[in-house]
Amino acid sequence: MTETLPPCPACASGHTYQVDSLLICPECGHEWQPGAPADETSDDAAEVRDSVGNVLQDGDTVMVIKDLKVKGSSSVVKVGTRVRGIRLTSGDHDIDCKIAGIGQMGLKSQFVKKVGD
């Protein structure tokens, strides 16, 4: 009973997996409904740009350009912290990410700069 799942429409990775009715790409974090049109995803949303105007995409690596206090904690995200594998969301904090030593959090794109790996 081998079921072949389609590759990720965002990054073309073949390592997709299914959770309930969603297909998920572990490499870029993209989620989609099987059989849904490829253009139905967040491409219709406004582009998310970093502090210097570079267009950000899911899976990019960014660098924090300002010390950021973590709300509800005494922790601080320091300038120069690299954040890998970001995921774009809608709302005030338009970047969802995981930062080493702090954990899952949301960032505003105005406080990051895209880094070329």
Side-chain angles (χ1 to χ4, degrees):
M1 185 175 143
T2 305
E3 183 180 327
T4 305
L5 297 173
C8 175
C11 70
S13 169
H15 302 288
T16 57
Y17 62 94
Q18 187 166 3
V19 175
D20 296 324
S21 65
L22 287 178
L23 293 176
I24 302 171
C25 176
E27 292 185 25
C28 71
H30 183 69
E31 298 177 354
W32 72 100
Q33 293 280 340
D39 292 338
E40 186 180 294
T41 59
S42 62
D43 292 340
D44 296 333
E47 293 179 334
V48 176
R49 294 184 178 265
D50 68 3
S51 62
V52 293
N54 296 322
V55 176
L56 296 174
Q57 298 177 351
D58 285 346
D60 280 347
T61 299
V62 295
M63 184 183 309
V64 177
I65 62 165
K66 175 183 175 183
D67 283 349
L68 301 172
K69 294 179 183 178
V70 179
K71 190 173 186 178
S73 171
S74 61
S75 301
V76 175
V77 179
K78 296 287 189 180
V79 170
T81 301
R82 285 182 175 236
V83 182
R84 292 191 174 113
I86 65 168
R87 188 168 157 189
L88 302 178
T89 61
S90 59
D92 189 32
H93 292 77
D94 45 12
I95 297 174
D96 189 26
C97 62
K98 185 182 277 187
I99 298 178
I102 295 177
Q104 195 74 23
M105 68 180 298
L107 294 174
K108 292 185 178 184
S109 58
Q110 67 193 28
F111 299 122
V112 299
K113 183 172 99 173
K114 187 173 180 177
V115 178
D117 289 322

